[in-house]
Amino acid sequence: MTRAFSRSASLLRRPGDLALWALAALHLLLLLSFLLVLGGLQPARAADEACHGKNLLTEMQAKDPAAYAALEAEAETIDNGRSIFWKIEKPGVETSYLLGTMHVTDPRVLAMPKGAAEAKAGSKVVVVESDEILDEKQAMGRLLAKPELTMMTNGKSITDYLSPEDQKTLEAGLKTRGIPLSAVSRMQPWMLSSFIALPACELARKAGGADFLDKKLAEDTVSEGKPVKGLETMQEQLGAIASIPIDFHIKSLIEMVRLGDRMDDVTTTMTELYLKGEIGMMMPMLKRVAPDSAEGEGYAEFEERVVTDRNHRMAERSLPILAEGGAFIAVGALHLVGEEGLVTLFRKAGYTVTPVS
């Protein structure tokens, strides 16, 4: 999910673009613990549920091989879309590594690709998107200092932005998760979206105390006595999202609710693509599962602020760390790909960046 998908940018402006929010919502998984505290939510579905999603691409390959072939062809146009683990080298500088993560607690994701654990063990410093994940209470306090990032502070509620039909859709979608709309009506729509994007099995693991990959990497590093550095603050992450007009977020939220149980299939498909290192397939896949019920107004601005700008910020803040060598950088996998992804940006800075087979 990067502007680097510009070779197919015209496709991203078609109806159905709003459901691409699913990717960004998954990136907000690290905020789930805050969501539950801030909203006082006790999701009924977050207990003893297994993952039930199916791989949408396996189904497509069997039922519509031509469509699947077209998706593969589109994915091939995306730079650096076939690996989640990269070696970063420059003469005279100790080798560093770049791992694309998926912000989920799936044990298969936590296992990491071959060689990643060894690379991390040999590193001098581990770098994650935000080191604030190490102290959730402190990070929550910082977010509460800017309540407009998580809650509506303009005297309105989310129902003020909904048509009667959309309100019924949202109420029904939240009800399946054991949450009354009245309990979250003043929560910002992007916070609700980040919650709705998560399948019940992910909620159950989180409720049981499981960590997502990025947090586990950071905590393990601290326990080993090595430093952890962050490339962004959570205020910066949420601030980028909050800067997008609310109408876009409202439409995105409703589209996600309408996907219903299909969100489980989306998560399963994305996870299995990630495990294969085929992250270039994720965006083309999402464009095909998105419903054609709304125009993608605001997506270009969303893409610019939430993806591209963050890629450049993370790259800029990574360069001094890379110059010292011996770093293990772990950020969301979709920040690696494309013409303005981290792999390309590091290459432009003079580094040789190659996939680790």
Side-chain angles (χ1 to χ4, degrees), residues 152 179 216 326:
M152 291 187 181
I179 303 169
K216 185 176 187 302

Side-chain angles (χ1 to χ4, degrees), residues 158-173 181 250 254 258:
I158 201 165
T159 56
D160 292 321
Y161 298 92
L162 298 174
S163 68
E165 179 184 354
D166 286 346
Q167 181 169 334
K168 289 180 181 179
T169 298
L170 182 58
E171 284 177 328
L181 176 58
I250 294 291
I254 298 304
R258 286 177 179 150

